[in-house]
Structure formats: structure tokens, C-alpha cells
């Protein structure tokens, strides 16, 4: 007798086949993973979520001493705490999402081996849960901004501040795309985890976090324009636009570079999903 089934589990016939309806059906599971990620991260800690504030504050102090004081790197006239906090907010969200999604298969192998659910739910939950940290750190940025406004020394936001939600989506999409791609590769080659951690650390210095992009204008490396090379980093247009929009620092990098980051994100996500779908069929044999 044929029965009517509520759920049908079948293999993915195409590499790029993503059942978004199925992902939506498992939204409650995604929210449970989000809650788990938030609770587990600072479980059995004394200060708990206060570390979300302590970490960027200590980082800002270090940047002020090393880059602002010793190295004397310009912040385009923006108060150093504001300039560094603006960069830290966006970069930390990108790095957190990248690190968590980049270990999806390895850290969740036990769960994947016991029960079926769309595997993309896990990295998506990581990206969403990291929004809490970003929200707290962004609130700290706003609080410092208000303090400078009261004192009378503050940078001026502009109309591009309306792009902030779009910039957050771009940075999340880039992190998710890179993360699931790297996670797929680390199932077989564990050395990539060590290399990946090192690359993320170096990546920050190739992105205008502790310095404005204007400081590299007119400079060359091996005959190549350094401004163009750094702008090819898909994270650079997003970070630079974020700073310009809220702090008025530097110049607007341009719609062309923002479009480049958006197209890069779409292509990267598509490639990541293709590789992710291919690896998830047999990753239990290699993890």
C-alpha cells in the first residue's frame, strides 16, 4: 500500500540542487542551533556576554598604542577609538563567521552521523548566532560615538549609512561562502585548518581595519598599484564603505567596487554550495 509521507529524504541528484523549502522547514532546528551556539560559547564563564565588550575594548587600546602611537598610522582625522571600533565590528563578525563555518563538518561530525537534516542549516545557524556578538559590539561603537558627540568631537555619518544592512549581508555572505568551501576541503586535509587559521590572521592586515585605504593611494608594489590590489580583496570595499558611511573617513570607494564584492559573494556562495553538496555525501568516510 502506498502511504502519504510528510517528509521524503532523497539523494541530491544535482550538485547545485538546494531545497530552500526544506531549509525553511527546518527553521526551528536552525534557531535551536543558534541558541546552542550562544549559550555554549560563554558557558561556565564569570563575565559571560561581557566578553563581547571586553575583547573589542582591549583590542582598541592595543591598536591605539601600537598603530596609533608607535607606528603613527593616520585615521583620516577620526578619533582613534571610533575608527578602530568601526573596523573591529565588521571584521570580527566576518572572522567569527569564517572560523565557525570553516569547521562545520569536523566539529559537527557526531551530529551529522546520527540524524538527517539539511547540512546547510549548521553554517547558517553559525552566521546568525554571530549576529548577537556583532550587535553588542556595534552598540558599543554607537555608545562611544555618542560620547564623542557630547564632547563635540565626532565624525559625521552620511547618506551611505543607509547601506549598513546591505553591508552586513555582504560580509555575512562572503564569510558563509568562504566558510563552507573551506569546511568542505578540511574534511580530507586537516592541515588546511592550521593554514586557514593563519591566513585569517594575515587577512586582517590586508584589509583596511587599522588604517584607512587612503594611506595606500599612489603607492605601488612590484609595479602594481597597491590601492587596486587591496580593493580586489572582496572584504575591503565593504569595510571601507562602512567606515565612510558612519565616520565620514576617507572617500567613497565607489559603486563599482561594491558591485564587485556583491558579484564575488554570489559566485563564491554558488561554488561553496556545489562543493558542500558534493562533500556531504561521503564526508563521514573521511572525517
Amino acid at each position: 500500500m502506498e502511504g502519504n509521507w510528510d517528509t521524503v529524504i532523497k539523494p541530491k541528484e544535482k550538485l547545485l540542487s538546494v531545497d530552500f523549502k526544506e531549509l525553511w522547514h527546518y527553521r526551528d532546528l536552525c534557531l535551536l542551533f543558534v541558541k546552542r551556539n550562544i549559550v555554549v560559547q560563554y558557558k561556565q564563564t564569570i563575565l559571560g556576554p561581557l566578553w563581547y565588550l571586553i575583547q573589542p575594548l582591549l583590542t582598541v587600546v592595543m591598536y591605539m598604542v601600537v598603530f596609533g602611537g608607535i607606528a603613527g598610522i593616520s585615521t583620516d582625522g577620526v578619533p582613534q577609538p571610533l575608527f578602530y571600533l568601526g573596523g573591529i565590528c565588521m571584521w570580527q563578525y566576518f572572522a567569527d563567521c569564517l572560523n565557525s563555518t570553516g569547521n562545520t563538518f569536523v566539529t559537527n561530525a557526531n551530529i551529522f552521523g546520527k540524524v538527517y537534516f539539511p547540512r546547510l542549516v549548521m553554517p547558517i545557524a553559525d552566521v546568525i548566532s554571530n549576529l548577537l556578538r556583532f550587535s553588542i559590539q556595534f552598540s558599543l561603537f554607537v555608545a562611544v560615538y555618542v560620547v564623542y558627540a557630547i564632547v563635540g568631537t565626532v565624525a559625521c555619518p552620511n547618506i551611505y549609512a543607509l547601506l549598513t544592512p546591505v553591508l552586513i549581508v555582504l560580509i555575512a555572505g562572503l564569510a558563509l561562502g568562504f566558510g563552507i568551501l573551506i569546511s568542505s576541503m578540511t574534511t580530507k586535509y586537516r592541515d588546511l585548518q592550521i593554514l586557514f587559521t593563519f591566513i585569517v590572521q594575515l587577512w586582517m592586515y590586508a584589509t583596511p581595519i587599522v588604517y584607512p585605504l587612503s594611506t595606500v593611494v599612489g603607492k605601488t608594489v612590484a609595479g602594481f598599484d597597491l590601492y587596486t590590489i587591496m580593493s580586489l580583496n572582496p572584504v575591503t570595499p565593504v569595510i571601507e564603505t562602512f567606515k565612510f558611511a558612519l565616520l565620514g573617513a576617507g572617500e567613497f570607494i565607489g559603486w563599482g567596487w561594491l558591485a564587485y564584492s556583491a558579484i564575488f559573494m554570489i559566485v563564491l556562495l554558488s561554488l561553496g554550495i556545489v562543493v558542500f553538496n558534493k562533500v556531504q555525501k561521503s564526508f563521514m568516510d573521511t572525517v
Side-chain angles (χ1 to χ4, degrees):
M1 295 180 63
E2 295 184 0
N4 295 322
W5 302 98
D6 295 328
T7 303
V8 178
I9 302 175
K10 56 183 179 180
K12 300 294 187 297
E13 298 178 355
K14 299 179 180 180
L15 289 178
L16 199 55
S17 60
V18 180
D19 192 345
F20 292 102
K21 183 178 179 180
E22 185 184 34
L23 284 174
W24 177 252
H25 179 72
Y26 281 87
R27 62 188 182 277
D28 291 336
L29 178 62
C30 182
L31 293 177
L32 286 176
F33 282 135
V34 170
K35 182 179 179 180
R36 182 204 65 171
N37 292 341
I38 294 173
V39 172
V40 169
Q41 187 171 10
Y42 289 108
K43 188 177 181 180
Q44 294 181 328
T45 59
I46 297 175
L47 299 178
L50 284 177
W51 283 111
Y52 289 147
L53 298 176
I54 296 174
Q55 289 175 340
L57 285 175
L58 293 178
T59 303
V60 166
V61 172
M62 183 190 70
Y63 286 173
M64 290 176 65
V65 173
V66 177
F67 299 105
I70 299 175
I73 298 177
S74 169
T75 57
D76 275 348
V78 178
Q80 290 182 357
L82 274 179
F83 184 87
Y84 295 138
L85 271 177
I88 289 172
C89 284
M90 292 295 281
W91 174 258
Q92 195 63 54
Y93 178 57
F94 175 75
D96 287 342
C97 293
L98 198 55
N99 288 322
S100 56
T101 56
N103 295 313
T104 297
F105 283 123
V106 175
T107 57
N108 299 288
N110 291 333
I111 299 178
F112 288 163
K114 293 178 181 178
V115 63
Y116 171 80
F117 59 88
R119 304 314 188 198
L120 275 175
V121 166
M122 196 68 78
I124 291 174
D126 289 334
V127 171
I128 296 174
S129 60
N130 284 320
L131 273 175
L132 173 65
R133 179 172 186 166
F134 172 79
S135 300
I136 294 176
Q137 293 182 348
F138 185 76
S139 298
L140 175 63
F141 169 76
V142 172
V144 175
Y145 195 101
V146 170
V147 170
Y148 275 99
I150 295 174
V151 173
T153 303
V154 67
C156 297
N158 49 56
I159 190 64
Y160 294 104
L162 297 176
L163 290 175
T164 300
V166 177
L167 300 177
I168 296 173
V169 171
L170 285 176
I171 209 76
L174 287 169
L176 180 61
F178 278 117
I180 60 177
L181 186 61
I182 293 170
S183 178
S184 302
M185 294 187 292
T186 54
T187 57
K188 187 174 182 180
Y189 305 103
R190 295 296 181 88
D191 289 349
L192 289 176
Q193 285 182 293
I194 302 174
L195 177 62
F196 172 60
T197 302
F198 180 65
I199 289 176
V200 172
Q201 294 174 350
L202 293 181
W203 197 345
M204 190 196 78
Y205 296 102
T207 309
I209 306 299
V210 297
Y211 55 88
L213 192 60
S214 59
T215 58
V216 301
V217 174
K219 296 182 179 180
T220 59
V221 174
F224 295 97
D225 181 41
L226 187 57
Y227 181 92
T228 302
I229 293 175
M230 293 193 62
S231 297
L232 288 174
N233 173 3
V235 183
T236 294
V238 180
I239 299 290
E240 193 67 12
T241 302
F242 180 81
K243 286 184 177 181
F244 174 75
L246 298 179
L247 301 176
E251 298 180 358
F252 180 51
I253 193 170
W255 294 106
W257 284 115
L258 275 181
Y260 160 76
S261 292
I263 295 172
F264 193 102
M265 180 198 72
I266 294 172
V267 174
L268 181 66
L269 272 176
S270 301
L271 177 62
I273 291 173
V274 168
V275 178
F276 193 89
N277 283 344
K278 181 179 180 181
V279 170
Q280 70 175 349
K281 298 177 182 180
S282 59
F283 83 97
M284 289 303 299
D285 297 330
T286 56
V287 172

